[in-house]
Amino acid sequence: MNAIQGTAVDIPTEDGTADAYLAHPGDGGPHPAVLLYMDAFGLRPRLTSMADRLAGHGYTVLVPNVFYRHGRTPVVELPEFIDPGARPEIFERIRPIMQALTPELAMRDAKAYLGWLADRAEAADGPVALTGYCMGARLSLLTAGTYPERVAAAAGFHGGRLATDAPDSPHLVAGNITAELYFGHADEDPSLPVEQIERLEEALTRAGVRHRCEVYPGAHHGFTQADTASYDRAADERHWEALLDLLKRTF
């Protein structure tokens, strides 16, 4: 892995300023950019370490605090090890914040994140890649369909509510997508039942989107997050293999 540099940055948006983390190789040159969308627990050491790992493979990685309207990181104070089963009050605090981030607001922010990356010397010219976790998988899919000219590849892992009956369900943007997509679904995930997995697959296939959707057997929602009770080391390493393979083909 290359030596990397990680810094806290601020991104101006239409609604304020989003604090974020930027990681990139320390060689001084521009590198293909990756926008990493956080899970519901927010911007924290686990996500910055994931950004550092990606940067070590030669990418410039931006991780915005998508909850910035509710405060700078940490928006919600978290224990070092997150176990919502033992501490249900954690998600009770997060849920209304997550619900307040509508698709309209999220995509307004995505425009700011993508524009900010386009102006950075650390980011190579051209489209970017996306990867998202938990709620970030929805944001990844929505961004790929809202800004197709800016997105070359998009991934999502243990995402929930990707293909609902709602009029603003993320899968409905499939017809706009030009990027290649990869989704790694958690097998044990009540937020993404089989009918939604099938609906997403059908929408992407019908739209002619290059994609691969895989279910990780035995994995739970949140399987990539080592600071949570849902972590699954084997599934996490499979996620890294799939993500890096997608990025290698894209850039």
Side-chain angles (χ1 to χ4, degrees):
M1 294 178 69
N2 301 316
I4 62 98
Q5 293 181 358
T7 55
V9 297
D10 284 341
I11 303 171
T13 76
E14 291 186 35
D15 299 319
T17 300
D19 54 303
Y21 179 76
L22 181 71
H24 56 89
D27 57 10
H31 294 271
V34 179
L35 175 57
L36 191 159
Y37 278 124
M38 66 187 217
D39 63 355
F41 296 125
L43 181 53
R44 62 194 192 283
R46 172 56 183 171
L47 292 187
T48 59
S49 71
M50 292 173 72
D52 290 348
R53 181 167 174 173
L54 269 179
H57 287 277
Y59 302 100
T60 290
V61 188
L62 179 67
V63 192
N65 166 24
V66 303
F67 293 157
Y68 71 89
R69 290 178 181 84
H70 301 268
R72 297 179 69 86
T73 301
V75 177
V76 173
E77 292 289 344
L78 297 169
E80 202 167 300
F81 182 76
I82 305 166
D83 184 356
R87 298 276 303 277
E89 72 275 8
I90 294 173
F91 202 71
E92 287 173 6
R93 293 198 301 269
I94 293 172
R95 185 181 290 109
I97 298 173
M98 184 169 60
Q99 291 173 340
L101 185 64
T102 64
E104 179 184 4
L105 290 177
M107 291 305 95
R108 198 155 76 204
D109 293 341
K111 182 179 180 181
Y113 305 148
L114 293 171
W116 188 89
L117 276 171
D119 290 337
R120 295 292 296 197
E122 301 92 340
D125 292 338
V128 308
L130 314 170
T131 185
Y133 302 87
C134 177
M135 58 168 276
R138 294 201 304 276
L139 299 181
S140 183
L141 179 55
L142 283 168
T143 304
T146 305
Y147 303 104
E149 72 287 353
R150 292 288 293 124
V151 179
F157 298 91
H158 48 80
R161 299 182 58 79
L162 295 174
T164 71
D165 294 324
D168 58 357
S169 176
H171 79 288
L172 297 176
V173 303
N176 300 329
I177 294 173
T178 57
E180 180 176 350
L181 269 53
Y182 177 89
F183 284 95
H185 304 311
D187 185 29
E188 304 291 331
D189 190 348
S191 70
L192 194 74
V194 172
E195 57 267 24
Q196 287 197 41
I197 293 175
E198 293 175 347
R199 188 179 295 145
L200 175 62
E201 177 72 34
E202 289 169 3
L204 295 175
T205 299
R206 187 167 56 249
V209 177
R210 292 167 297 151
H211 72 280
R212 188 160 88 250
C213 297
E214 298 181 319
V215 176
Y216 289 26
H220 293 262
H221 184 83
F223 62 76
T224 63
Q225 302 303 303
D227 59 353
T228 75
S230 300
Y231 183 63
D232 184 317
R233 182 178 297 276
D236 182 31
E237 287 307 312
R238 180 178 174 183
H239 132 263
W240 280 111
E241 291 176 8
L243 177 57
L244 291 171
D245 181 59
L246 175 68
L247 296 179
K248 181 188 259 187
R249 289 198 308 275
T250 304
F251 298 119

